[in-house]
Amino acid sequence: MLPSSESNYQPLKDSQTKLDRFLVCGLGSLGQHCVAVLKEYGAIVNAIDQEQPKNLQVSNLSSLLEHLLIGDCRQSSILEQANISQCRTVLLVTGNERVNIEAAFAARLLNPQVRLVVRSDKQNLNELLSQTLGNFIAFEPNQISASGFAVAALGDDNLGYFQLEERQFRVVKRQVKMSDNWGNKWRIHELNTLYRRVLNYANDSSILPKEFHQWEPEAILHPGDTIIYIEVTEQVKSLKQLATVRKYNWQQLWQEIVLGRVWNNFKHKITYLSRTFSHYQSLRVAIICGITVLFLWCFGTIIYILNYPKSNIIEAFYAIAVLLLGGYGDIFGGVNFKTPPEAAENMPGWLRLFSLALTLTGIGFVGVLYALLTDALLSSRFHFFNSFQPSIPQKDHVVLIGLNRVGQRVAALLQEFKQPLVGVSSTALNADFLKKIPLIIDNIADALGKVNLANSKSVVVVTDDDMENLEIALMAYAKSPTTRVIIRTYDQYFRDNVARLFPYAQVICTSAISAEVFAAAAFGENILSLFNFDTQTILVVEYMIEAEDTLNGLLLAEVAYGYGVVPILYQNLKRSPVKLMPADHTQLAVGDRLVVLANSNSLQRIERGEMFPRNWQVQVEKVLAQDAIFDGANEISIISGCNIGTARELMHNLPGLLPTALYKQQAMLLVRRLSKLRVTARLKSFVEHTGD
């Protein structure tokens, strides 16, 4: 009898059910969202706050909590009343870092095994506490949400960036166009490579699914379809360069030589130098004046040596230098009709006239050089004092409004992406930050007229006031309707309403994003990064497989399709090399390392061990070659995970039905692999099998 959907769920372990009690200290915006996410995991949640929450951002907060205590979470008596001894994790998320750290000390003394998830921005202290207290992790909501704002500001089709093992990963949303090579001939599964994985797909008449793998792998891409995928950017770049080299052939090289590409290159460089000099008029004048003075110096020295017998080459050289610097009187001692100067004796009159001409010419040209030098010194001095304030970009830049901790973190990330930006603040900032980006400190309304808003790529508004953010965003949109607007908010309801009323704006709720990270960390997950994926948050989660894990012993196909995640990195610690975009038939074992992309629902399923049902089997019809029996059995065992003996028995008794239930994508992969081995097979659903 085929297994039902219920029998495919992995049961919860007793140890898990006893520990699924959590304590949240601090019911501000972040704390309330943490409670809501923890309840989605099915956890029992207690909370401590110094007063009854007034600004409710989660409407049914009281019904989500088993017990709410009013008091100081640093006091041992309050923690004991909250049953800290029975808690699996304590989330310390008040707005005061000192309170959070002190409460962590008190919690550790009362429960040495409890996991501590702390809101704190003191990175060095956090690392030391993690080593000292153990089972301790800290996050800062501003840092968590900053990457989302930075990626949203970049716009284009990029949904996320993150780094693993010194490799840069990029998540791309792409709409297939008529000119794309992918259109009308590529199947979706054919886009998967060693350095790329398809995450989501929708044709031009449907919307993107909310979960991974909810599309047909055999579907053909058509113009207008939307596809989201993750790729390793460095490797993709290398492959593109390799493809470019391969397209090169000797015939093209010969044509380029015949057409005189080298000569064209040379002319291009000459033109470039000419244009460069045209932009620096003062430099051209200085060069001309300098060459003229040098020529007169050499020419005058030669004239003196040949026509003035009393001078030698040294005296002539210095005499011409003095004349060019306006020293005619120093050489000839002035004009005296009764006692002519000694230098004028035996000197032809034309030579004295030539000396006077040298002096007048030298005064003119050297004066120009003095003027240019003075101008250059003053300009460099002015540039030195203004180098702390870079110039405002003219186009394709990001306008960042609000330079608090979130804003400064967003600015730092945008600079890492080499994205031009300009900052706007209504209050003065420290001098160090002034050196980093062009900055306008003024009334926001006036500042919007100074940032080249019409030519900007996007406007990111991240002040600490939700209403002010909305007001600024509306002003920016009124001035430049084509510019992308990203708004920061703390309130999920406010975010939902603004997103519906102003569809041109992208609204990001920092508390909701951060709460997903804190909640996942409360269950022991290691969150490496996150990004926004079609209005939901996708986490980059690292697992170290342990004996009691719900992932232990599973094939990656079962992990991916059973829990709705995307494995992107696998490492067997016994065989240290890292595998990117690992194969579906890889089997997890204790000690393995796995990094996946997952949303909150997927993490909840992994935590509870609840897998989607396997509803497909493979019907093997016949073999077209005798050696395919052996190879086909091996392929069946590898991909399905069934016993090799079962696979061989099936291949020797065809036609037959593989008894192991599979996920659809897993079964389709097996059929494709068997086809390459000259084995005919087809998919069969449970419904079809039941009808038989």
Side-chain angles (χ1 to χ4, degrees):
M1 183 177 178
L2 293 175
S4 65
S5 60
E6 287 79 4
S7 62
N8 286 292
Y9 286 5
Q10 295 186 19
L12 291 171
K13 300 175 177 60
D14 293 339
S15 60
Q16 284 181 301
T17 57
K18 292 180 181 178
L19 293 175
D20 277 348
R21 184 183 294 273
F22 296 80
L23 175 61
V24 177
C25 297
L27 289 178
S29 177
L30 176 59
Q32 293 182 40
H33 283 92
C34 284
V35 171
V37 177
L38 288 171
K39 289 302 293 184
E40 292 178 3
Y41 279 82
I44 300 172
V45 185
N46 293 338
I48 300 174
D49 204 351
Q50 287 191 329
E51 60 181 6
Q52 190 74 27
K54 297 178 180 178
N55 183 19
L56 292 181
Q57 298 185 17
V58 177
S59 59
N60 58 336
L61 180 65
S62 59
S63 63
L64 299 178
L65 293 171
E66 183 184 49
H67 190 35
L68 171 61
L69 290 173
I70 304 301
D72 191 340
C73 60
R74 294 172 292 183
Q75 296 180 3
S76 300
S77 59
I78 298 294
L79 291 173
E80 288 175 345
Q81 292 179 46
N83 297 322
I84 190 174
S85 60
Q86 300 178 14
C87 288
R88 175 175 180 174
T89 303
V90 177
L91 291 85
L92 301 156
V93 291
T94 73
N96 189 315
E97 290 184 343
R98 181 184 180 90
V99 171
N100 294 336
I101 297 298
E102 291 181 2
F105 294 158
R108 174 60 75 234
L109 291 173
L110 294 173
N111 187 344
Q113 284 77 40
V114 72
R115 180 169 176 78
L116 301 173
V117 181
V118 180
R119 177 180 182 176
S120 173
D121 190 28
K122 301 183 182 303
Q123 296 183 1
N124 186 46
L125 176 61
N126 295 339
E127 292 179 4
L128 295 173
L129 291 176
S130 178
Q131 298 171 6
T132 305
L133 297 179
N135 205 6
F136 174 101
I137 189 168
F139 298 102
E140 166 50 41
N142 294 328
Q143 294 184 0
I144 292 173
S145 60
S147 60
F149 289 105
V151 173
L154 292 175
D156 303 325
D157 295 328
N158 300 314
L159 300 181
Y161 290 90
F162 59 91
Q163 185 171 323
L164 291 177
E165 299 294 326
E166 299 182 353
R167 298 281 191 132
Q168 188 75 26
F169 287 76
R170 179 178 65 161
V171 181
V172 181
K173 182 178 182 180
R174 174 175 173 179
Q175 187 172 37
V176 180
K177 300 179 181 178
M178 291 292 295
S179 57
D180 285 349
N181 293 330
W182 290 355
N184 294 320
K185 60 181 179 180
W186 285 74
R187 300 182 187 275
I188 299 178
H189 71 83
E190 293 174 339
L191 300 179
N192 291 329
T193 68
L194 295 175
Y195 306 102
R196 181 174 59 226
R197 277 291 182 274
V198 176
L199 303 180
N200 217 334
Y201 163 79
N203 58 39
D204 58 354
S205 61
S206 62
I207 61 174
L208 287 167
K210 293 296 183 182
E211 301 287 344
F212 295 125
H213 314 300
Q214 302 299 311
W215 36 265
E216 290 292 332
E218 295 291 339
I220 297 177
L221 288 170
H222 297 286
D225 293 354
T226 300
I227 187 167
I228 299 177
Y229 59 91
I230 182 173
E231 65 182 4
V232 186
T233 54
E234 293 92 344
Q235 190 65 37
V236 170
K237 182 178 179 181
S238 300
L239 290 176
K240 288 180 179 178
Q241 292 174 346
L242 182 60
T244 303
V245 173
R246 285 179 177 174
K247 291 179 181 178
Y248 231 106
N249 54 47
W250 288 106
Q251 183 179 0
Q252 290 174 330
L253 182 61
W254 173 253
Q255 289 176 351
E256 288 188 357
I257 294 175
V258 172
L259 292 174
R261 184 176 181 182
V262 175
W263 170 246
N264 291 335
N265 230 0
F266 177 73
K267 289 195 298 183
H268 175 73
K269 289 182 179 179
I270 293 297
T271 305
Y272 172 76
L273 290 175
S274 175
R275 290 176 180 173
T276 302
F277 278 116
S278 69
H279 289 299
Y280 297 94
Q281 296 292 338
S282 60
L283 179 60
R284 295 174 62 196
V285 173
I287 292 175
I288 292 172
C289 290
I291 293 174
T292 303
V293 171
L294 183 63
F295 170 76
L296 292 175
W297 196 348
C298 297
F299 180 71
T301 301
I302 295 172
I303 294 296
Y304 259 60
I305 293 172
L306 296 178
N307 296 280
Y308 190 46
K310 289 187 176 183
S311 65
N312 55 37
I313 187 171
I314 301 297
E315 292 175 347
F317 180 82
Y318 286 112
I320 297 301
V322 172
L323 289 172
L324 289 173
L325 294 173
Y328 183 87
D330 297 330
I331 298 294
F332 295 100
V335 180
N336 190 331
F337 295 102
K338 295 182 178 180
T339 57
E342 182 180 355
E345 294 180 3
N346 302 321
M347 177 179 285
W350 67 268
L351 190 57
R352 288 190 66 182
L353 184 62
F354 174 74
S355 301
L356 179 61
L358 281 179
T359 299
L360 294 176
T361 305
I363 289 173
F365 282 99
V366 173
V368 171
L369 288 175
Y370 280 152
L372 292 175
L373 180 60
T374 303
D375 179 69
L377 289 173
L378 291 175
S379 298
S380 63
R381 183 171 180 266
F382 179 79
H383 177 72
F384 174 78
F385 284 108
N386 286 274
S387 60
F388 301 113
Q389 181 64 52
S391 60
I392 297 174
Q394 297 300 310
K395 62 178 182 178
D396 294 332
H397 56 285
V398 173
V399 180
L400 179 59
I401 302 176
L403 294 173
N404 45 30
R405 287 198 295 178
V406 176
Q408 295 187 26
R409 177 61 178 165
V410 173
L413 290 173
L414 290 174
Q415 287 181 303
E416 290 181 11
F417 295 140
K418 309 299 182 183
Q419 169 62 51
L421 75 152
V422 56
V424 177
S425 177
S426 57
T427 58
L429 299 173
N430 61 72
D432 290 337
F433 193 74
L434 291 174
K435 303 175 185 177
K436 297 177 181 178
I437 66 171
L439 184 64
I440 295 178
I441 300 176
D442 198 352
N443 178 274
I444 301 297
D446 296 334
L448 289 176
K450 305 176 183 178
V451 294
N452 300 319
L453 191 61
N455 298 323
S456 64
K457 176 183 289 187
S458 58
V459 176
V460 182
V461 190
V462 291
T463 74
D464 295 325
D465 189 320
D466 289 356
M467 298 306 297
E468 183 181 4
N469 290 342
L470 177 59
E471 179 184 1
I472 295 171
L474 293 176
M475 286 192 296
Y477 180 75
K479 291 179 178 292
S480 179
T482 59
T483 300
R484 184 184 302 105
V485 179
I486 299 100
I487 306 174
R488 175 194 185 192
T489 180
Y490 294 95
D491 192 328
Q492 185 71 19
Y493 292 119
F494 183 81
R495 176 234 174 261
D496 295 339
N497 292 331
V498 171
R500 285 195 295 266
L501 291 172
F502 309 103
Y504 56 82
Q506 182 174 349
V507 190
I508 299 177
C509 179
T510 57
S511 297
I513 292 176
S514 302
E516 295 194 30
V517 175
F518 276 83
F523 285 93
E525 318 301 2
N526 185 17
I527 310 301
L528 304 180
S529 184
L530 60 83
F531 58 91
N532 290 327
F533 180 104
D534 193 33
T535 71
Q536 62 177 319
T537 302
I538 302 299
L539 304 176
V540 183
V541 187
E542 180 185 47
Y543 289 97
M544 300 299 296
I545 308 302
E546 299 179 356
E548 296 183 354
D549 283 349
T550 57
L551 302 179
N552 185 26
L554 296 180
L555 298 176
L556 287 188
E558 297 173 312
V559 175
Y561 310 127
Y563 291 120
V565 300
V566 179
I568 59 173
L569 183 146
Y570 168 78
Q571 184 178 22
N572 185 319
L573 295 185
K574 296 178 181 178
R575 299 184 296 273
S576 57
V578 168
K579 295 181 180 179
L580 301 178
M581 314 302 177
D584 281 356
H585 58 75
T586 304
Q587 187 170 28
L588 296 176
V590 175
D592 289 355
R593 175 188 175 209
L594 179 66
V595 178
V596 302
L597 304 182
N599 58 23
S600 179
N601 294 333
S602 302
L603 295 181
Q604 293 169 33
R605 285 192 291 268
I606 292 176
E607 176 63 25
R608 295 191 293 261
E610 298 177 354
M611 302 177 70
F612 291 125
R614 302 171 176 85
N615 289 329
W616 296 85
Q617 289 180 287
V618 174
Q619 174 79 25
V620 184
E621 304 289 352
K622 59 182 178 179
V623 295
L624 304 179
Q626 193 64 27
D627 60 345
I629 296 177
F630 178 82
D631 295 336
N634 290 339
E635 201 71 27
I636 291 173
S637 177
I638 291 172
I639 295 178
S640 70
C642 74
N643 183 275
I644 186 63
T646 302
R648 296 201 187 284
E649 182 180 354
L650 171 64
M651 292 300 295
H652 283 95
N653 295 277
L654 298 180
L657 186 67
L658 179 65
T660 304
L662 304 175
Y663 294 103
K664 187 172 185 178
Q665 295 87 339
Q666 187 183 11
M668 295 177 75
L669 174 61
L670 178 55
V671 170
R672 290 196 299 268
R673 293 287 184 86
L674 290 176
S675 177
K676 292 181 179 180
L677 296 174
R678 294 172 295 177
V679 177
T680 304
R682 67 182 179 89
L683 267 65
K684 201 165 187 178
S685 69
F686 284 165
V687 175
E688 179 183 352
H689 181 65
T690 304
D692 294 344

